[in-house]
């Protein structure tokens, strides 16, 4: 039997065909993500911030893999660039690969002691995200930031820790330049 093919357009970072699942996040559902909540609430709640296209051919089984592409749109809430929610993996020891496809930005990486660093993301950049490391993409450019990803299908996503505690760094526009600023943990 001839199976429908899945196509990954490696220039545009577009994934189509069989077993592709798409999901998107709009500003209205990103409460508590950006520092300036008031500014966010004044913006269009339907404004898309990012979209993920994922190839799921095995489900969340042990030993499986997921392949995805994240498209983070250009934009800012106040002076803070559009970014993903960010997460630890539910299974903390699960690692992940990211690679830059198009656009410019940063990958924020934070370990469980809240030590945070940023890696520059650009077309061709490769990023190994070790286990026990929270990760978030930030688009500091004027076009979409498109980033490929591959991770264990049983990794799961823990969003609640980041929702509660945040990252210890934010990326903001200071005098037209992306700048990392410390963010103290909420009490
Ligand atoms: C990525 C992320 C994607 C969206 O596929 O899920 O960039 O970010 P959030 O999941 O933080 O909203 C990944 O890291 N998967 O494990
Ligand atoms: Zn992940």
């Amino acid at each position: 039997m001839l199976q429908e093919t899945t196509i990954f357009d490696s220039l545009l970072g577009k994934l189509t065909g069989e077993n592709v699942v798409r999901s998107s996040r709009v500003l209205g559902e990103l409460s508590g993500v950006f520092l300036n909540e008031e500014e966010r609430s004044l913006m269009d709640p339907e404004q898309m911030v990012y979209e993920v296209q994922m190839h799921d051919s095995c489900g969340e089984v042990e030993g499986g893999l997921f392949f995805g592409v994240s498209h983070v749109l250009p934009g800012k809430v106040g002076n803070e660039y559009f970014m993903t929610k960010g997460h630890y993996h539910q299974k903390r020891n699960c690692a992940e690969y990211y690679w830059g496809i198009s656009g410019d930005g940063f990958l924020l990486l934070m370990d469980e002691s809240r030590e945070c660093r940023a890696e520059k993301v650009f077309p061709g950049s490769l990023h190994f995200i070790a286990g026990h490391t929270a990760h978030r993409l930030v688009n500091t450019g004027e076009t979409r930031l498109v980033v490929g990803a591959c991770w264990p299908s049983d990794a799961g996503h823990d969003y609640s820790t980041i929702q509660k505690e945040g990252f210890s760094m934010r990326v903001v526009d200071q005098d037209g330049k992306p700048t990392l600023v410390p963010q103290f943990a909420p009490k």
Side-chain angles (χ1 to χ4, degrees):
M1 196 177 75
L2 188 64
Q3 285 219 294
E4 197 199 330
T5 36
T6 305
I7 295 173
F8 172 54
D9 180 328
S10 58
L11 286 178
L12 295 177
K14 216 171 130 195
L15 202 50
T16 48
E18 198 176 28
N19 296 329
V20 174
V21 186
R22 296 168 76 126
S23 61
S24 59
R25 299 277 186 196
V26 295
L27 268 179
E29 60 187 320
L30 294 176
S31 80
V33 172
F34 296 94
L35 185 61
N36 195 334
E37 262 303 300
E38 196 192 331
E39 187 67 37
R40 187 190 65 90
S41 69
L42 296 173
M43 293 171 75
D44 175 8
E46 295 306 319
Q47 164 69 54
M48 189 167 54
V49 178
Y50 60 99
E51 179 192 11
V52 180
Q53 301 163 5
M54 187 180 108
H55 186 239
D56 174 359
S57 51
C58 60
E60 294 179 5
V61 296
E62 196 182 335
L65 288 172
F66 285 151
F67 177 94
V69 195
S70 302
H71 292 240
V72 186
L73 272 66
K76 276 180 268 184
V77 176
N79 66 351
E80 188 172 20
Y81 298 98
F82 277 8
M83 60 188 178
T84 60
K85 287 171 78 160
H87 58 268
Y88 287 100
H89 290 147
Q90 193 73 45
K91 271 196 184 168
R92 285 291 195 274
N93 63 353
C94 287
E96 181 163 4
Y97 268 112
Y98 274 11
W99 59 97
I101 294 171
S102 67
D104 285 294
F106 287 100
L107 168 62
L108 279 185
L109 297 166
M110 182 175 75
D111 69 21
E112 289 172 301
S113 61
R114 298 186 55 75
E115 198 64 46
C116 197
R117 66 195 172 86
E119 292 184 359
K120 189 105 190 69
V121 184
F122 53 90
S125 64
L126 183 70
H127 310 271
F128 176 70
I129 302 166
H132 302 268
T133 307
H135 39 291
R136 161 179 281 170
L137 286 168
V138 185
N139 185 355
T140 56
E142 269 152 30
T143 58
R144 276 179 179 225
L145 175 67
V146 184
V147 178
C150 188
W151 69 100
S153 57
D154 61 340
H157 294 94
D158 168 12
Y159 292 106
S160 61
T161 305
I162 293 301
Q163 187 75 26
K164 269 191 261 142
E165 300 171 7
F167 277 72
S168 55
M169 295 286 224
R170 290 185 180 272
V171 187
V172 299
D173 178 336
Q174 271 183 8
D175 304 322
K177 268 179 58 182
T179 310
L180 271 154
V181 294
Q183 163 74 47
F184 301 105
K187 291 199 190 93

